[in-house]
Amino acid sequence: MEKDSKNTIRTRFAPSPTGELHIGSARAALFPYLFAKKNRGEFLVRIEDTDQKRLVKDSELRMLDLIKWLGMSWDAKPIYQSARTSLYKEYARQLVEDGKAYFCFCSEERLEELRKKQEASGVPTGYDRKCRNLNPAEVLEKIKNGEPHVIRLKVPESGKISFTDLIRGKIEFDFHNINDELLLKSDGFPTYHLAAIVDDHEQGITHIFRGEEWLSSVPKHLLLFQYFGWEPPQYAHMSVIVGKDKKKLSKREGSVSVDAFKSDGYLPEAIVNFIALLGWNPGDEREFFNLKELEREFDLAKVNKSPAMFDIEKLNHFNAHYIRKMGEKELLEKTKLFSKVDFSKYDKSFLQKETKVIKERMVLLKDFDELSHYFFSDIDVDKEMVKFGKSEWQDTEIGLEKTIESLAEMDDKKWESVDDLNHFLSEVVTVNGLKNGDVFWPVRVALSGEKFSPSPAELIWVFGKEESLKRLKNALNKIK
Ligand code: GLU
């Protein structure tokens, strides 16, 4: 079906490139992305880089790389506001001509003094509108003389403006409390307010998703839409994300940057799943959703306005799940970046078996080496560890001897199944009148050198006949 461009739903991700992509900004991309997909709309990207003082070089590129890494894509080339300054200037001037904005010549020093006075006398801070009613001839004269100036929005002195937020419902603002906001700065750069409104209009944005900290900007934005005679978009202000201490997560906390999660070995699937549930829920017990499923299921009516809790345990739970679900080959490929093991030195089937066993225990990709070091290096078995708590030394010795004997003779076919190997070990126990602890425990320790490891049958399965026998014999010699 052809898309009707007029009725197409368009959302956007509008980051300011001032540092890392943190979890909150990733959600400010994910929700509008999902909403656009769900409604067969378009998801656009706009880089809000007009605040020259706060820019961090190339951070928008890193942010966009991470958005892509998470699996999202956008429907048109990103636009950069810094390349569009003359456009914003024109729009600002148009507002002045229409009497909806005005030139202001107040110096920084005057504004600073004003603010201090207001603070001292306990009144709300804000511009006192000194320049709002200058006569036109005077304005012209000052401009001609090259006096530095800004352009400010003319906010009505009284009255109210209201709108219905798609997450929060109806919200009303009193103009009386709203400042004559800056639209154009003295360096000719627009403020966020002006540039965002012009671009939301020019990009045909129909739905805006952003954090609730932007709520107080809405009356100014709606006023601007009204002044320009443009239809305003709908707004959905997402809840704050709080830590376990109920305090707002800080942007500056390295621990919530998507890049830091990536370097620790979190998978994009897990992060996306986790972020989706920061405010949205499917309305039932399901918790695992990949991006494609989210694109189908995301429903604005199920987005919550109460604070979303950031719980790292939950993210770990998702990551472990997606690691377990991944094929061994793919997992090995991803693990390479985190491992010191030279995989090229090992047999493919050994590596795949090893990964199959280890992935059940991995939470992060970087866990691989710690969990599997004994597969890739010789071990020095601690003699005392070989005997299980309640077992006798003699039975332990017999257990190992019998395992070695029977393993050496075992039909090759049995090596192919962990269940068969498990069964085999149980047989060694019963046939020789031993206890589980006389066989399973020493075999585990002989092969891994550890108290905690995959099961003894899994270890044998991974190592294969030759290496298993070698390790079992080593341990037997040690305790003899
Ligand atoms: N550039 C703003 C930010 O960094 C975007 C706010 C908005 O979406 O309107 O969050």
Side-chain angles (χ1 to χ4, degrees):
M1 215 199 322
E2 280 261 309
K3 262 186 199 155
D4 172 355
S5 152
K6 255 184 100 192
N7 292 325
T8 299
I9 286 197
R10 262 187 221 94
T11 62
R12 44 61 162 191
F13 171 47
S16 301
T18 54
E20 296 296 314
L21 182 81
H22 55 102
I23 287 292
S25 30
R27 188 186 58 171
L30 183 64
F31 281 24
Y33 169 83
L34 294 177
F35 185 75
K37 290 285 149 191
K38 169 83 185 253
N39 293 289
R40 303 183 70 246
E42 290 173 2
F43 172 66
L44 307 178
V45 169
R46 171 169 89 225
I47 307 300
E48 301 204 323
D49 56 350
T50 58
D51 189 347
Q52 298 294 302
K53 278 184 242 134
R54 292 175 58 231
L55 292 190
V56 175
K57 197 168 175 290
D58 293 338
S59 78
E60 83 281 3
L61 299 178
R62 288 194 301 279
M63 286 184 177
L64 294 185
D65 272 350
L66 287 166
I67 292 292
K68 264 193 235 158
W69 177 73
L70 291 173
M72 293 175 255
S73 56
W74 41 92
D75 293 304
K77 223 169 135 215
I79 65 168
Y80 281 69
Q81 290 187 328
S82 58
R84 297 160 62 83
T85 48
S86 53
L87 178 77
Y88 308 123
K89 225 186 255 180
E90 259 174 55
Y91 276 117
R93 294 208 172 232
Q94 184 192 319
L95 285 181
V96 176
E97 270 170 35
D98 295 348
K100 314 282 194 206
Y102 59 93
F103 288 106
C104 165
F105 300 91
C106 293
S107 65
E108 293 275 349
E109 295 73 45
R110 175 173 187 271
L111 295 175
E112 181 59 22
E113 231 167 76
L114 176 65
R115 193 177 57 82
K116 277 192 190 144
K117 264 195 216 150
Q118 289 168 331
E119 274 173 359
S121 50
V123 296
T125 55
Y127 183 55
D128 61 358
R129 300 181 167 169
K130 176 166 184 270
C131 296
R132 185 158 154 146
N133 296 311
L134 291 179
N135 78 53
E138 199 180 336
V139 171
L140 221 62
E141 184 65 23
K142 281 174 183 284
I143 291 181
K144 237 197 243 154
N145 292 341
E147 274 194 42
H149 56 270
V150 299
I151 292 180
R152 286 182 185 276
L153 177 66
K154 217 183 240 181
V155 177
E157 280 166 68
S158 61
K160 290 180 193 321
I161 194 164
S162 71
F163 78 107
T164 302
D165 188 273
L166 296 171
I167 298 174
R168 282 148 214 280
K170 186 166 176 197
I171 303 176
E172 192 172 68
F173 295 91
D174 207 325
F175 280 133
H176 180 69
N177 303 321
I178 296 166
N179 196 27
D180 277 1
E181 195 64 60
L182 276 192
L183 297 178
L184 205 69
K185 295 181 269 187
S186 55
D187 59 6
F189 273 87
T191 58
Y192 154 71
H193 304 289
L194 175 64
I197 267 40
V198 167
D199 287 341
D200 282 332
H201 170 69
E202 297 232 333
Q203 291 187 294
I205 302 301
T206 58
H207 293 76
I208 291 179
F209 288 77
R210 58 186 178 192
E212 72 174 294
E213 66 275 20
W214 294 104
L215 207 54
S216 60
S217 302
V218 177
K220 295 165 208 166
H221 294 186
L222 289 176
L223 195 58
L224 278 166
F225 277 105
Q226 228 179 63
Y227 283 175
F228 282 122
W230 298 333
E231 193 187 331
Q234 304 221 57
Y235 290 94
H237 286 87
M238 301 174 287
S239 63
V240 280
I241 304 175
V242 295
K244 275 204 166 142
D245 55 2
K246 305 247 160 69
K247 289 207 188 101
K248 187 171 186 268
L249 282 187
S250 156
K251 282 191 194 186
R252 280 163 289 278
E253 264 175 74
S255 61
V256 294
S257 107
V258 174
D259 204 26
F261 286 126
K262 183 180 176 203
S263 320
D264 275 345
Y266 285 93
L267 299 171
E269 300 87 313
I271 299 180
V272 162
N273 198 153
F274 174 73
I275 295 176
L277 295 174
L278 288 174
W280 172 81
N281 71 77
D284 54 41
E285 292 302 300
R286 287 172 302 157
E287 58 171 349
F288 297 114
F289 294 91
N290 63 32
L291 194 59
K292 280 274 158 290
E293 288 162 340
L294 289 168
E295 289 173 16
R296 281 197 306 271
E297 301 257 354
F298 185 76
D299 178 2
L300 198 46
K302 293 192 182 115
V303 175
N304 213 307
K305 67 177 175 194
S306 46
M309 188 163 43
F310 180 95
D311 177 3
I312 191 81
E313 292 308 325
K314 191 99 192 147
L315 179 56
N316 289 343
H317 167 67
F318 286 136
N319 213 57
H321 169 82
Y322 288 106
I323 285 183
R324 279 199 304 275
K325 269 190 67 178
M326 202 180 285
E328 285 74 50
K329 210 164 146 210
E330 189 186 349
L331 184 54
L332 263 172
E333 212 40 56
K334 300 216 160 166
T335 304
K336 260 185 200 161
L337 301 168
F338 295 86
S339 173
K340 292 202 175 70
V341 177
D342 177 359
F343 291 135
S344 69
K345 289 205 321 222
Y346 296 88
D347 177 59
K348 265 202 190 126
S349 117
F350 165 76
L351 285 175
Q352 295 223 355
K353 285 178 171 174
E354 197 274 346
T355 309
K356 190 175 172 69
V357 161
I358 284 304
K359 74 175 183 179
E360 298 299 319
R361 289 156 181 83
M362 282 169 75
V363 174
L364 305 177
L365 292 175
K366 72 171 183 189
D367 294 342
F368 183 86
D369 280 8
E370 201 188 316
L371 288 169
S372 49
H373 60 95
Y374 46 83
F375 283 111
F376 299 102
S377 57
D378 288 332
I379 52 166
D380 186 19
V381 174
D382 171 3
K383 184 184 162 192
E384 295 305 316
M385 205 194 280
V386 180
K387 186 177 79 66
F388 182 64
K390 290 181 205 150
S391 293
E392 299 296 330
W393 277 110
Q394 204 189 356
D395 294 336
T396 307
E397 218 178 292
I398 299 173
L400 280 176
E401 267 167 6
K402 296 294 174 194
T403 308
I404 292 168
E405 257 172 44
S406 322
L407 260 189
E409 289 165 8
M410 195 173 71
D411 183 351
D412 275 354
K413 264 209 158 153
K414 283 203 174 160
W415 288 98
E416 284 163 25
S417 140
V418 173
D419 278 348
D420 284 351
L421 289 165
N422 217 4
H423 193 68
F424 157 83
L425 289 174
S426 296
E427 248 173 38
V428 175
V429 171
T430 46
V431 168
N432 298 292
L434 297 166
K435 292 196 210 69
N436 278 345
D438 305 330
V439 173
F440 285 86
W441 181 264
V443 170
R444 172 199 296 279
V445 175
L447 294 179
S448 71
E450 307 265 331
K451 289 182 183 166
F452 303 101
S453 74
S455 73
E458 287 172 305
L459 295 172
I460 298 178
W461 180 69
V462 174
F463 278 123
K465 191 168 194 171
E466 198 184 322
E467 184 67 20
S468 295
L469 285 173
K470 187 178 121 196
R471 292 193 178 208
L472 289 166
K473 285 176 189 165
N474 277 346
L476 181 61
N477 288 336
K478 204 145 207 187
I479 64 168
K480 262 191 164 170

